[in-house]
Amino acid sequence: MGGGDGVLLRRFAYEYGSNPLHLLAALAALLVSAWALAQALGQLEPPGKFVVWFLGAILLHDLLFLPFYAVLGRLAERAFLRGEARSRLRVAALNHLRVPVILSALAFLVWYPDILAKSSEGFENATGLTKDVYLGRWLLLTAVLFAGSALVLALRARRLRGAG
Amino acid sequence: MDDEEARRPPSPPLPRGGPFRRSSWKSPLRGPWLASFLSSALLPLIAICALTGFLSHAAYETDLSGNALFDEGVDFYFFDWPTSPAWLYVATQGLHIITGLAAIPILLAKLWAVIPQLFERPGARSFAHVLDRIALSLLVGGALFVFATGVLNIQIYYPFGFSFVPAHYFGSIVFLAGLALHIVTKLGVMRSAFRERGVVAPLKEDLEHTRPEPPLEGRHTSAPADPAPPTMTRRLLIGTVGAGSVGLAAMGTGQVVGGPLRDLTFLAPRGESAGDGPNDFMVNKTFEAVDIPMEKVGPGWRLRIEGGERPATLTREDLLGMELIEADLPIACVEGWSTTQRWTGVRLTELARLAEIDSPGGLQVRSLQADGPLRQASLNRGQIESPDSMLALMVNGADLSLDHGFPARLMVPALPGVHNTKWVGEMVFS
């Protein structure tokens, strides 16, 4: 009976917090994950390091990395927009700092093993190439980003000042 | 405490200050639209990255003896990896690395957009909510783990101590299972957010018109409870993330396509040119790194061919005296770089005929390397029979250099680069 089913479904939703399909999907997803985790722990040597890296990735990102850059962002905001009116120029200046910082930091985050020449001996063994060039390139990229952003800000400044 | 909260059963005592207080999340840009927009950019990239990742696993054909680096548990690769087009693995693995790199800034932005929900109170609204949160930790942990190990691997840096291939493989299964449930759970939020705000309309707002996202009816979202005034448009946020994404993708593309685009690699590790001689292209493992004694690759080198009626032992001169073929074939590395060169060598089918082996169904090629899991490779029937599959002796008209596998190396179209075994000493047909 449709009516009976409806009551049952509502009851299920009340007790469980979602519909039965959700429970099926959740169980399937967790089973597959559990299987893959068990395989990884069974096959990887040492298994402890896998756990450390898996949990460490979450903790490092959520409790260290993200709060760190969020606080940094808020400090910059305070420094640029403190006290008197938030003029359009000041807001723009803040953003002309934010964008090159974000892009430069992103490049560093992804390529830091290159930039800091991590495992450079293994790299030279494997490739016959050197990692010595990357620090200079990253600094160049950073310089270009900041200079470009400053240049655009300078070009915009007159108009922004006029607008108040 | 509002009425709704007062009716709830008491939840476990969670801290109430700092990040657990909703009003301490200030950004006016956070909310279901931003999360949904980032997700809709992320999903196709992850879909391509995952598909090409599993295709790469298929290309290694772990069911052929000697190719398996680990036990994948369930073998659902039921097709033989083809040899045509020759650039197939260049394309699949190139896409894997390019989409993976491009996804990184979007993933980080997405995590930023939804971070308040990590601290939401109550921590457990219902049994379903608990399951969602467990799956979310697998999703976030899996994503960070898979992207981190991948990025480290392409820079040949292994601070993690465990073996990369199985860790990346099983980690990605954890990640994708968590992602599947997340999509099922959140598709409704995405639909509502796009219906209420439009898909791209918020990108057109200037700073004066940038407003905090209102909460969605009946949904728990990352929209701020007490937003600060905006200092940035959504357009600028998305634009910055997009610029990062495009920049990383360009660096990856430089490694895959090469040629004039090689300079795009910039910070990616395979942009250097080794010179402009016939052997001056990228190496995956130098001769010096593999510990093969010099005399083994000198005039005393012999190729042993086994598995047939008449095992054969050949010198390099014998091989050079056979009918030689020439083909432009790529070396396409799992790390996402590739380089196409002109190779000269003896067809694999010729070698089988010489040793009187009728239509071999498999071939195991062994290097002179004393150890290393990739010192051997197994080929399927199609790979042996491809007219361009060869034991290469020369490249670009010159003898192979030691770094590129002198006295002889395998070259098979569309085969993952690392299986094009160098310093071949023995071939066993079956």
Side-chain angles (χ1 to χ4, degrees):
Chain A
M1 296 302 286
D5 286 355
V7 170
L8 214 61
L9 274 178
R10 268 205 301 282
R11 176 76 202 211
F12 182 88
Y14 179 78
E15 296 289 346
Y16 171 67
S18 191
N19 57 50
L21 267 180
H22 180 278
L23 180 59
L24 271 181
L27 290 179
L30 292 177
L31 270 176
V32 171
S33 290
W35 171 81
L37 284 173
Q39 290 286 330
L41 292 178
Q43 291 194 39
L44 289 173
E45 202 52 51
K49 280 215 167 161
F50 177 82
V51 178
V52 167
W53 272 72
F54 199 96
L55 293 179
I58 306 180
L59 297 178
L60 203 67
H61 176 269
D62 286 4
L63 299 182
L64 202 71
F65 180 64
L66 194 147
F68 172 74
Y69 76 72
V71 166
L72 218 61
R74 214 177 268 191
L75 287 179
E77 211 165 293
R78 231 172 255 173
F80 273 74
L81 307 176
R82 112 189 71 95
E84 88 262 36
R86 304 152 41 92
S87 71
R88 283 182 61 179
L89 180 61
R90 278 172 165 272
V91 172
L94 173 63
N95 286 326
H96 278 270
L97 178 66
R98 269 172 172 160
V99 172
V101 167
I102 290 172
L103 293 178
S104 168
L106 173 71
F108 185 85
L109 178 74
V110 172
W111 302 116
Y112 85 87
D114 274 358
I115 294 166
L116 301 181
K118 292 288 183 190
S119 167
S120 59
E121 203 179 312
F123 182 78
E124 284 180 40
N125 257 337
T127 64
L129 302 172
T130 162
K131 280 191 170 181
D132 291 347
V133 294
Y134 297 110
L135 178 60
R137 287 189 190 174
W138 177 70
L139 289 173
L140 177 68
L141 175 72
T142 303
V144 167
L145 285 170
F146 275 91
S149 183
L151 185 70
V152 176
L153 178 65
L155 293 175
R156 290 178 65 197
R158 180 186 295 268
R159 200 161 46 86
L160 288 165
R161 210 176 273 127
Chain B
M1 204 182 262
D2 61 24
D3 279 357
E4 194 202 336
E5 228 169 304
R7 275 201 310 275
R8 281 209 198 97
S11 59
L14 268 179
R16 274 149 196 281
F20 294 95
R21 201 172 58 229
R22 282 206 59 192
S23 58
S24 56
W25 297 100
K26 289 293 179 196
S27 173
L29 301 189
R30 284 198 181 96
W33 177 85
L34 183 66
S36 302
F37 189 83
L38 291 168
S39 294
S40 57
L42 204 46
L43 269 177
L45 292 175
I46 289 178
I48 297 172
C49 195
L51 178 71
T52 51
F54 287 117
L55 280 178
S56 177
H57 192 75
Y60 276 74
E61 293 199 81
T62 51
D63 54 330
L64 299 178
S65 65
N67 282 358
L69 291 174
F70 65 102
D71 173 16
E72 73 265 41
V74 183
D75 178 16
F76 53 92
Y77 300 98
F78 44 82
F79 61 96
D80 284 349
W81 189 250
T83 54
S84 173
W87 45 263
L88 181 65
Y89 193 70
V90 174
T92 64
Q93 196 57 15
L95 277 174
H96 184 66
I97 304 293
I98 293 168
T99 52
L101 285 170
I104 290 170
I106 311 176
L107 174 70
L108 293 174
K110 164 89 193 192
L111 291 175
W112 174 83
V114 298
I115 189 77
Q117 279 165 295
L118 174 65
F119 300 98
E120 69 184 330
R121 285 189 314 119
R125 284 193 298 272
S126 65
F127 193 52
H129 188 221
V130 173
L131 292 183
D132 277 342
R133 298 200 74 174
I134 294 172
L136 262 181
S137 62
L138 295 172
L139 165 59
V140 174
L144 293 170
F145 180 85
V146 170
F147 281 97
T149 50
V151 159
L152 294 173
N153 181 61
I154 63 174
Q155 294 170 82
I156 318 189
Y157 177 43
Y158 304 99
F160 34 78
F162 44 75
S163 170
F164 166 73
V165 178
H168 196 67
Y169 183 79
F170 290 123
S172 70
I173 294 176
V174 175
F175 164 46
L176 293 172
L179 178 62
L181 181 63
H182 187 63
I183 294 172
V184 169
T185 316
K186 295 292 186 178
L187 205 60
V189 174
M190 184 188 265
R191 225 182 278 125
S192 316
F194 283 159
R195 196 170 45 230
E196 280 188 25
R197 317 268 304 164
V199 177
V200 292
L203 291 178
K204 295 176 185 138
E205 298 158 350
D206 59 14
L207 196 58
E208 280 74 43
H209 295 90
T210 298
R211 307 256 182 277
E213 280 191 60
L216 276 182
E217 192 71 41
R219 304 259 189 201
H220 299 263
T221 71
S222 51
D226 178 26
T231 57
M232 184 185 236
T233 58
R234 292 191 172 80
R235 180 170 56 210
L236 181 59
L237 175 65
I238 299 283
T240 307
V241 172
S245 206
V246 168
L248 289 174
M251 294 184 199
T253 307
Q255 293 198 115
V256 177
V257 179
L261 293 187
R262 186 70 71 192
D263 287 341
L264 281 178
T265 53
F266 203 60
L267 293 172
R270 294 294 185 146
E272 294 298 287
S273 141
D276 43 20
N279 271 286
D280 290 341
F281 52 93
M282 281 166 293
V283 178
N284 183 45
K285 197 143 245 169
T286 58
F287 180 70
E288 214 180 299
V290 293
D291 213 24
I292 299 175
M294 236 4 230
E295 62 267 20
K296 281 201 167 186
V297 293
W301 175 81
R302 297 288 180 275
L303 174 71
R304 282 204 313 281
I305 304 176
E306 291 180 19
E309 296 291 309
R310 199 165 57 115
T313 304
L314 301 168
T315 65
R316 198 163 188 278
E317 286 63 42
D318 295 337
L319 289 164
L320 282 167
M322 294 174 70
E323 188 195 341
L324 298 180
I325 58 163
E326 200 174 67
D328 292 339
L329 296 175
I331 296 176
C333 184
V334 66
E335 288 151 21
W337 56 266
S338 44
T339 175
T340 300
Q341 308 292 337
R342 177 154 297 176
W343 307 89
T344 307
V346 183
R347 251 190 206 121
L348 296 183
T349 45
E350 268 307 299
L351 294 171
R353 196 167 306 138
L354 187 87
E356 291 181 6
I357 299 150
D358 264 354
S359 105
L363 167 62
Q364 193 161 40
V365 181
R366 296 191 187 128
S367 168
L368 297 169
Q369 274 173 272
D371 49 30
L374 292 161
R375 68 182 185 281
Q376 57 177 17
S378 294
L379 302 183
N380 64 42
R381 182 185 296 276
Q383 287 164 336
I384 300 167
E385 287 175 354
S386 164
D388 285 343
S389 292
M390 65 171 98
L391 186 72
L393 304 164
M394 311 204 313
V395 62
N396 300 319
D399 282 345
L400 292 173
S401 68
L402 278 173
D403 280 347
H404 285 301
F406 183 88
R409 75 172 300 168
L410 189 62
M411 281 308 298
V412 172
L415 192 66
V418 78
H419 277 174
N420 283 319
T421 307
K422 301 196 279 192
W423 313 291
V424 171
E426 192 180 23
M427 302 172 77
V428 183
F429 287 97
S430 53

